[in-house]
Amino acid sequence: MAGSHEKSNLRVSAEKVLRFPGEVGVMMWEMGKEDPRRVIHSIKVGLALSLASMLCLLESLSQGIGQNAIWAVMTVVVVLEFTAGATLRKGLNRGVGTLSAGLFALFVEYLTADRPTPRAVVMAWTVFVIGAAVTYMRFLPTIKNNYDYGVMIFILTFSLILVSNYRIDDTTRMARDRFYTIVIGCGICLFLSLLIFPTWSGDDLHKSTIAKLEGLAQSVEACVGEYFGDAQTKEIQDELLKDSIDENCIKVLDSKYTDETMALNASWEPRYRWKCYKSPWQQYVKFGAALRRFGYTVMALHGCLHTEIKTPPSVRALFKDQCTRLAGEVSEVLVELANSMRNRRHFSPEILSSHLHIALQDLNTALQSKPQILLDSMNRKDSGFSLTASLEANSSPVHESATARPPEQVHGIQKVLRPQRSKLVIASLEFSETLPFAAFASLLVEAVARLDHVIEEAEQLGRMARFKEYRAGDDVA
Amino acid sequence: MAGSHEKSNLRVSAEKVLRFPGEVGVMMWEMGKEDPRRVIHSIKVGLALSLASMLCLLESLSQGIGQNAIWAVMTVVVVLEFTAGATLRKGLNRGVGTLSAGLFALFVEYLTADRPTPRAVVMAWTVFVIGAAVTYMRFLPTIKNNYDYGVMIFILTFSLILVSNYRIDDTTRMARDRFYTIVIGCGICLFLSLLIFPTWSGDDLHKSTIAKLEGLAQSVEACVGEYFGDAQTKEIQDELLKDSIDENCIKVLDSKYTDETMALNASWEPRYRWKCYKSPWQQYVKFGAALRRFGYTVMALHGCLHTEIKTPPSVRALFKDQCTRLAGEVSEVLVELANSMRNRRHFSPEILSSHLHIALQDLNTALQSKPQILLDSMNRKDSGFSLTASLEANSSPVHESATARPPEQVHGIQKVLRPQRSKLVIASLEFSETLPFAAFASLLVEAVARLDHVIEEAEQLGRMARFKEYRAGDDVA
């Protein structure tokens, strides 16, 4: 038995190993299908490497640049990045870093040429002082964000030149050769990156902003739809839906770092410069921040779906139409903003029209016309459970409503016991059941208020990026 | 006149230039005072550079490693990072990348040795295929997150060896030399980074988690304090307070990327491995995610401070004590969690005791005992303004309450005109004024529910990181 068990184990492992290349292959294929620019980028890197290598061969044949030709290969590997902006940023940093380090090294050489101290000591000391000082400077936020790579290359080149100089006497030639090869390497990279199927960081930022707007629009609508939907009948479907609402929102909320990187790279790209006075990338970042602000409210709205105290469906149904309509209007504004961005035009003035405000007023009227119902459910005490019992007996399992939780969750609670306590207490409290609904409505109104800020930033963005004027029917064409 | 103007302009510029070094100096000083480890790191880099340079000199004197010795300098510059984890990660990646590239290059050499095709063509083709294929692999998430640098070094070394091989015939020696020097460079880096005043990524992550807990505790308390405080009298102070609440919260919400980087670097650090079964760093990331979830609710709570419809102070005052107490309890739990982390012990079981739940019940009782007041303010219609007028005349400026906005804001609105419309409409609507209070109370209850999840993850973290058991009075000692 043990033997056959071992054998089957072995077979499972063998199957896993055999399946592995296939799985990786599928993953690679999916990756390429998801974003074909990845394939293009890989081919470009291969091409650049080949070109740089051939150059080395030619140069070594003619005994021109010599040993330093390998720097062209190195430059290609390090500088050629996925987007044009990142490549430009790295290439320029590398070029300027090398050039200034070379000049500085020559200057130090000149200063220390006729000193009586041994050259090795001077060199070690200089490398130490410059290395430490420049490394410290790298912590400055301005340098860290924009020129970190250039400063690193500065330290590298400076040390290499000083060290090599001790062995080779012709420092000037070495510095010159190295600079030439790096310029050639950067040239290959920039040519491939800017002229052959370029990938612009700015475009990525633009597209991700559109995707965020659409994601939020979906989120808002789905959230309200689910709140007023019949929760009992389609539990599983809801679980999926909840996750997708969550995901859209979290994508927006976590986008800060990627946004900033893309904007930074985009700011090195020359493309839009002649189109507008000022590069609008920082405005994209600001717009992203406004969207995140809006997203926090949507996230809180979404929290209302998971809340422990449920407003009875009968109360919710009273305000269903008004809330759904308001959410629909909010979502429409977001979609229109996304469309206007996609077509690089100003948004339609319709989004500032009174639809949204009429929807607001309707909700207001509905809330005012039925205060008695809200009050009724607030006063209803028979539906709750006794909390005092559960608080007195601290270790006894908390009373709970059978309808409020599915059985598998009860089992989970008894196993972990102490955590989730507050949730149980909240569920068993006689909190007025309209409280969460009031929160929901209030958050919806809050979302409308936050939308103002989003629209404002979008208008500013349209002005800075010089989007074209809105004309009805443009999108169709 | 123009001349003197020009002169004064010149003087201002000159003063600016003269002040600049001083300003940079102050900034540098502040930077060092903020985190003295930066100074230590800079000195370490200088030292490592000197050591590597001296090594090159010694080697070149004895004609040992030769030209390849500069790789030691290069390795030091590139590998030595601020934290030990990052250095280890880069160093190991570099070592393994170089080694495997060397072996692979030798293998390719062996395969192509006796082919009739010209060597240059074979070389260019090999470099192209391998470069493209490996670059494409870099897009795989697993490789991108952990081994990106190693793969880059693989491409680099592979190309360099093939190219150099065309010129120098002794490939084996070059690969061996290069590997030796890189090992020496990595050795210097690891020695300085792990043994001399090490900076642990894991410690940073631990400390930042504590700071986040404390920030959130402050945020919750300050937020509730401000909501029930007298808003009119201390406008300016509030503005500052609001910003600090905001800042604490946003720091938590934006921490995803830095958390993940720190956890990644920490997972390479050997330090805690012998203390616990499994590295707890991913649990820190999960704990951070739970804190962010909690933070969204706090952010929404904070949004209640800025809302356009204000609940009258008289209504708020009725529930002040209960809300403040509940917020105090929440904040106390967070502070206890922070303290337990700081002392690397499990949290006191007191945070699971009934204080929080009694506070919840008190709020509940208060809300139930005064429904009439809530209803009264809901029905009060004379305090509102007519919305219909503003909606009918779409282009006319919206009516607004003089008390609701300071005059300079009105001016701003008239200038921009269209944006901020929704805010005005919301302010002028006759929304029941208790709506935002209900939202506030509901969000507070929601925050308590979210706290459960935070406590759960903290318990899990304590178990995984093998914190010591809680004993009363431990913190004092």
Side-chain angles (χ1 to χ4, degrees):
Chain A
M1 275 304 272
S4 83
H5 186 69
E6 226 164 65
K7 227 181 222 170
S8 81
N9 254 357
L10 206 72
R11 193 180 299 152
V12 169
S13 310
E15 268 171 14
K16 251 189 202 161
V17 170
L18 284 176
R19 252 207 324 268
F20 183 70
E23 271 170 15
V24 170
V26 169
M27 213 150 78
M28 300 273 246
W29 178 257
E30 290 294 325
M31 221 163 63
K33 226 167 60 179
E34 199 184 296
D35 192 350
R37 297 176 305 174
R38 289 173 177 160
V39 181
I40 295 174
H41 173 69
S42 306
I43 294 173
K44 272 199 239 175
V45 172
L47 207 63
L49 273 176
S50 285
L51 280 177
S53 309
M54 293 311 282
L55 197 91
C56 286
L57 296 193
L58 287 180
E59 288 298 329
S60 74
L61 288 181
S62 64
Q63 297 298 324
I65 294 176
Q67 175 79 38
N68 286 302
I70 55 166
W71 292 105
V73 176
M74 190 171 276
T75 305
V76 165
V77 174
V78 176
V79 167
L80 196 55
E81 292 268 338
F82 187 57
T83 61
T87 308
L88 255 172
R89 185 174 137 210
K90 270 203 156 176
L92 291 180
N93 262 310
R94 192 176 178 99
V96 172
T98 307
L99 186 62
S100 51
L103 293 178
F104 192 66
L106 292 182
F107 179 66
V108 169
E109 287 289 312
Y110 170 77
L111 281 185
T112 59
D114 303 318
R115 291 291 163 89
T117 31
R119 234 170 126 190
V121 174
V122 172
M123 197 206 70
W125 186 241
T126 317
V127 167
F128 173 75
V129 171
I130 298 294
V134 176
T135 303
Y136 190 65
M137 268 174 57
R138 280 173 79 181
F139 288 109
L140 281 173
T142 333
I143 289 177
K144 196 170 187 167
N145 290 337
N146 282 294
Y147 311 109
D148 195 53
Y149 185 68
V151 173
M152 196 183 85
I153 291 295
F154 178 89
I155 304 178
L156 181 62
T157 310
F158 179 77
S159 315
L160 286 187
I161 290 179
L162 277 201
V163 171
S164 307
N165 176 39
Y166 197 82
R167 301 194 295 108
I168 311 159
D169 278 321
D170 196 357
T171 324
T172 330
R173 198 180 153 222
M174 187 207 164
R176 201 196 55 205
D177 281 0
R178 196 171 163 208
F179 184 70
Y180 280 159
T181 46
I182 284 181
V183 166
I184 291 170
C186 284
I188 293 175
C189 290
L190 292 185
F191 171 75
L192 283 172
S193 161
L194 293 176
L195 300 178
I196 315 288
F197 297 112
T199 304
W200 304 104
S201 228
D203 278 357
D204 279 3
L205 183 56
H206 188 81
K207 273 178 201 148
S208 89
T209 306
I210 294 169
K212 282 196 282 183
L213 278 167
E214 287 173 337
L216 280 178
Q218 267 179 30
S219 246
V220 171
E221 212 155 11
C223 198
V224 173
E226 206 205 332
Y227 189 77
F228 291 106
D230 192 2
Q232 246 71 19
T233 53
K234 36 176 186 172
E235 191 103 342
I236 305 162
Q237 203 185 327
D238 279 1
E239 218 37 64
L240 283 173
L241 191 63
K242 261 180 213 167
D243 284 353
S244 86
I245 302 170
D246 239 23
E247 218 172 78
N248 274 330
C249 231
I250 295 228
K251 229 179 250 167
V252 173
L253 297 180
D254 287 344
S255 63
K256 186 174 183 260
Y257 175 76
T258 41
D259 271 16
E260 280 174 0
T261 312
M262 281 195 278
L264 183 63
N265 287 335
S267 68
W268 287 81
E269 285 172 0
R271 203 180 170 208
Y272 293 107
R273 280 286 155 84
W274 40 269
K275 254 193 180 170
C276 53
Y277 292 126
K278 214 178 149 188
S279 140
W281 308 120
Q282 282 314 309
Q283 184 59 31
Y284 274 95
V285 173
K286 275 175 82 182
F287 184 64
L291 277 183
R292 276 203 300 284
R293 284 261 161 179
F294 179 78
Y296 296 140
T297 312
V298 178
M299 204 67 199
L301 204 59
H302 184 225
C304 293
L305 301 179
H306 296 282
T307 190
E308 300 305 315
I309 329 153
K310 303 264 185 221
T311 309
S314 59
V315 176
R316 277 189 261 173
L318 288 173
F319 306 102
K320 180 179 175 179
D321 290 344
Q322 288 80 13
C323 284
T324 313
R325 190 170 154 210
L326 188 56
E329 293 292 339
V330 168
S331 156
E332 222 162 75
V333 169
L334 289 171
V335 168
E336 164 58 18
L337 284 180
N339 285 337
S340 76
M341 286 223 165
R342 185 175 294 112
N343 297 298
R344 293 184 195 278
R345 59 165 174 79
H346 287 286
F347 51 77
S348 146
E350 265 176 38
I351 69 170
L352 297 163
S353 73
S354 46
H355 290 307
L356 192 63
H357 303 155
I358 291 172
L360 264 179
Q361 200 189 15
D362 282 355
L363 179 59
N364 184 36
T365 315
L367 285 170
Q368 279 177 340
S369 63
K370 289 145 190 157
Q372 202 50 45
I373 291 156
L374 288 175
L375 189 66
D376 277 355
S377 77
M378 270 183 181
N379 277 334
R380 193 172 48 182
K381 299 215 170 186
D382 50 324
S383 67
F385 294 82
S386 163
L387 181 77
T388 20
S390 72
L391 283 175
E392 275 165 6
N394 214 350
S395 58
S396 74
V398 176
H399 270 269
E400 68 169 64
S401 125
T403 52
R405 308 186 155 272
E408 67 276 10
Q409 217 170 333
V410 176
H411 182 71
I413 288 155
Q414 279 167 346
K415 225 166 47 184
V416 189
L417 212 110
R418 290 183 314 180
Q420 299 214 359
R421 273 296 295 277
S422 298
K423 275 190 192 175
L424 287 183
V425 173
I426 291 168
S428 70
L429 265 174
E430 295 156 5
F431 266 116
S432 70
E433 287 164 327
T434 49
L435 198 64
F437 176 73
F440 188 81
S442 177
L443 282 170
L444 207 53
V445 173
E446 179 79 27
V448 175
R450 292 275 169 101
L451 197 58
D452 273 352
H453 188 49
V454 172
I455 293 175
E456 230 167 89
E457 294 288 350
E459 200 174 349
Q460 177 72 12
L461 178 61
R463 229 178 295 128
M464 283 175 80
R466 298 211 157 187
F467 286 168
K468 56 178 184 278
E469 284 303 318
Y470 171 74
R471 275 178 308 168
D474 263 8
D475 291 2
V476 188
Chain B
M1 273 304 273
S4 83
H5 186 71
E6 226 164 66
K7 227 181 221 168
S8 78
N9 254 358
L10 207 72
R11 193 181 298 153
V12 169
S13 309
E15 269 171 13
K16 252 189 203 162
V17 170
L18 284 176
R19 251 206 325 266
F20 183 70
E23 271 170 13
V24 170
V26 168
M27 213 149 78
M28 300 273 247
W29 178 257
E30 291 293 326
M31 218 163 65
K33 226 169 58 179
E34 199 184 295
D35 191 351
R37 296 177 306 173
R38 289 173 177 161
V39 181
I40 294 174
H41 173 69
S42 307
I43 292 172
K44 272 200 240 175
V45 172
L47 206 63
L49 273 177
S50 284
L51 279 177
S53 308
M54 293 310 283
L55 197 91
C56 286
L57 296 192
L58 288 181
E59 288 298 331
S60 72
L61 289 181
S62 65
Q63 295 300 322
I65 294 177
Q67 174 78 40
N68 286 302
I70 55 166
W71 293 105
V73 176
M74 191 171 275
T75 305
V76 165
V77 174
V78 177
V79 167
L80 195 55
E81 292 269 337
F82 187 58
T83 61
T87 308
L88 255 174
R89 187 174 135 209
K90 270 203 155 177
L92 291 181
N93 262 311
R94 193 178 176 99
V96 172
T98 307
L99 187 62
S100 51
L103 293 178
F104 193 66
L106 292 182
F107 179 67
V108 169
E109 287 288 313
Y110 170 76
L111 281 185
T112 57
D114 303 318
R115 291 291 163 89
T117 29
R119 234 171 126 190
V121 174
V122 172
M123 197 207 71
W125 186 240
T126 318
V127 167
F128 172 76
V129 171
I130 299 294
V134 176
T135 304
Y136 189 65
M137 269 174 57
R138 281 174 79 182
F139 288 110
L140 282 173
T142 334
I143 289 177
K144 195 169 187 168
N145 290 336
N146 281 294
Y147 310 108
D148 196 52
Y149 185 67
V151 173
M152 195 182 86
I153 291 295
F154 178 89
I155 303 177
L156 181 61
T157 311
F158 180 77
S159 315
L160 286 187
I161 291 179
L162 277 201
V163 170
S164 307
N165 176 37
Y166 197 82
R167 303 194 292 107
I168 311 159
D169 277 320
D170 197 357
T171 323
T172 330
R173 197 180 155 223
M174 187 206 163
R176 202 197 56 206
D177 280 1
R178 193 168 167 210
F179 184 69
Y180 280 160
T181 46
I182 284 182
V183 166
I184 292 170
C186 284
I188 294 175
C189 289
L190 292 184
F191 172 75
L192 282 172
S193 158
L194 293 176
L195 300 178
I196 315 287
F197 297 113
T199 305
W200 303 104
S201 228
D203 278 356
D204 280 2
L205 183 56
H206 187 80
K207 273 178 202 150
S208 90
T209 305
I210 294 169
K212 281 196 283 183
L213 279 167
E214 286 173 338
L216 279 177
Q218 266 179 31
S219 246
V220 172
E221 213 157 10
C223 198
V224 173
E226 206 205 333
Y227 190 75
F228 293 105
D230 194 1
Q232 247 70 20
T233 52
K234 36 177 185 171
E235 193 102 341
I236 304 160
Q237 203 186 327
D238 278 0
E239 217 38 64
L240 282 174
L241 192 62
K242 262 180 212 167
D243 284 352
S244 87
I245 302 170
D246 238 24
E247 217 172 79
N248 274 331
C249 232
I250 295 232
K251 229 180 251 167
V252 173
L253 297 181
D254 287 344
S255 63
K256 186 174 183 259
Y257 175 76
T258 41
D259 271 18
E260 280 175 359
T261 313
M262 281 194 279
L264 183 63
N265 287 334
S267 68
W268 288 81
E269 285 170 2
R271 201 180 171 208
Y272 293 106
R273 280 286 154 84
W274 40 271
K275 254 192 179 171
C276 53
Y277 293 126
K278 212 178 148 188
S279 140
W281 307 121
Q282 281 314 309
Q283 185 59 30
Y284 274 95
V285 172
K286 274 174 82 182
F287 184 63
L291 278 183
R292 274 203 300 283
R293 284 260 163 182
F294 180 77
Y296 295 141
T297 312
V298 178
M299 204 66 199
L301 205 59
H302 184 227
C304 293
L305 301 179
H306 295 284
T307 191
E308 300 304 315
I309 329 152
K310 304 263 185 222
T311 309
S314 58
V315 177
R316 277 189 260 172
L318 288 173
F319 306 101
K320 180 178 175 178
D321 290 344
Q322 288 80 11
C323 285
T324 312
R325 190 168 154 211
L326 187 57
E329 293 293 339
V330 169
S331 155
E332 222 162 74
V333 168
L334 289 172
V335 168
E336 164 57 20
L337 284 179
N339 285 337
S340 77
M341 287 224 163
R342 185 176 294 112
N343 296 299
R344 293 183 195 279
R345 59 165 174 78
H346 287 286
F347 51 78
S348 145
E350 264 176 39
I351 68 169
L352 296 165
S353 72
S354 48
H355 290 306
L356 192 63
H357 304 155
I358 291 172
L360 264 179
Q361 202 190 16
D362 281 355
L363 179 60
N364 184 36
T365 315
L367 284 171
Q368 280 177 340
S369 64
K370 288 147 192 157
Q372 202 50 49
I373 291 155
L374 289 174
L375 189 67
D376 277 354
S377 78
M378 269 183 183
N379 277 335
R380 195 171 46 180
K381 299 214 171 188
D382 50 321
S383 67
F385 292 83
S386 164
L387 180 76
T388 20
S390 72
L391 283 175
E392 276 165 6
N394 213 351
S395 58
S396 74
V398 177
H399 269 269
E400 68 169 61
S401 124
T403 52
R405 307 186 154 272
E408 68 278 8
Q409 215 170 333
V410 175
H411 183 70
I413 288 156
Q414 281 166 344
K415 224 167 47 184
V416 190
L417 213 108
R418 290 182 313 178
Q420 300 215 358
R421 277 291 297 275
S422 299
K423 277 191 192 173
L424 287 183
V425 173
I426 291 168
S428 69
L429 266 174
E430 294 156 6
F431 267 117
S432 70
E433 286 163 327
T434 48
L435 199 65
F437 176 74
F440 187 82
S442 177
L443 283 170
L444 207 54
V445 174
E446 179 78 29
V448 175
R450 292 274 169 101
L451 196 59
D452 272 352
H453 188 49
V454 172
I455 294 175
E456 230 167 87
E457 294 288 350
E459 201 174 349
Q460 177 71 11
L461 179 62
R463 229 178 296 130
M464 283 176 79
R466 300 212 154 184
F467 286 168
K468 56 178 186 276
E469 284 304 316
Y470 172 75
R471 276 179 308 169
D474 262 9
D475 291 0
V476 189

